[in-house]
Amino acid sequence: MAICHHHHPTFLTHHPFQPTATTLSHLHLHIRLPSSFRCNLSVTSPPKLEPEPVYTSVKSFAPATVANLGPGFDFLGCAVDGIGDFVTLKVDPQTPPGEISISDITGTGNSAKKLSKNPNWNCAGIAAISVMKMLNIRSVGLSLELEKGLPLGSGLGSSAASAAAAAVAVNELFGGKLPESELVLAGLESEAKVSGYHADNIAPAIMGGFVLVRSYDPLELISLRFPSDKNLCFVLVNPEFEAPTKKMRAALPTEISMSQHIWNSSQAGALVAAVLQGDLVGLGKALSSDKIVEPKRAPLIPGMEEVKRAALEAGAFGCTISGAGPTAVAIVDDEEKGRAIGEKMVEAFMAGGNLKAQAMVKKLDRVGARLVSSSSR
């Protein structure tokens, strides 16, 4: 247990990964706070009391996410409104105290067949267990139902949405004791076991909006506030093609040139500036300008290069691969225009890659994972 200091208030925080004391002593997180707060292990605190459940059941939702955003590989991402995963969590006398069981998995595509109901091998289960450990839950057993609204291997943060929804559900069932920073760590533990140690999906899934991962060791996150008076729309076009994250990561170069580094760094900086200024034209330009990751991944997604060209020609401000793909994401400032661009992108997937695809236009999710209903009986 560590006591964390941030100006006036005192925060309690705890790290689920059990790293070295040296690593923990330098842990500080930028989570909607004006400056960092430090954890110092030299101060001891009394054992954490186990909270009582405040509900008998809760239902939570976590949104889809677009990671990388072009030049921001593994350090930039944002949440997308209107699509995501649901988790229903109940106090279950049939589940042993301190444990969690997964009773049902339903939803999009073949999720139920492909996902394990063993909580130790399921994104939602891993995150839920992590939060239970953080809260010191020992005398209550829980059962979890996962409703997948996101297809697997789509590049829309499917695993992160499951983890985020589960983490929030457990926390809310016991009164919302943990801050977002702890929930991100729980979700990151899940991501690390399933798709790799990267927070550009799980952080925005929990926090909402745009998030910059400034550092992984120590984990440091910065929320980027997109102006509320600007209308940002995402055109998401998902082809019938699975692009597993591990396979898409294997395609990446192990070394890059100094000129590539300079270019991508400048584009990532420009993207952050565009987000903060609400500059959609600048955002689109930077989004489309990755010279390191996208050139290696695009050829692995049939028709992707044609889809990007079609989006830009149809009036999109920018277009790139969402996460590891195969979903293509374009940005515009108008829903009707977005639907027209989406149609052109769908046509390009068929013409260039012989793939059927579906298009949808969604807005920025500024809230992140949240409780949608609860019951005390």
Side-chain angles (χ1 to χ4, degrees), residues 238-259:
N238 181 33
E240 293 181 356
F241 180 81
E242 193 167 327
T245 301
K246 289 182 179 178
K247 178 182 177 182
M248 299 303 280
R249 291 182 86 87
L252 301 180
T254 55
E255 295 182 355
I256 61 170
S257 67
M258 181 60 74
S259 63

Side-chain angles (χ1 to χ4, degrees), residues 310-330:
L312 297 176
E313 289 176 354
F317 295 134
C319 180
T320 189
I321 302 168
S322 178
T327 296
V329 56

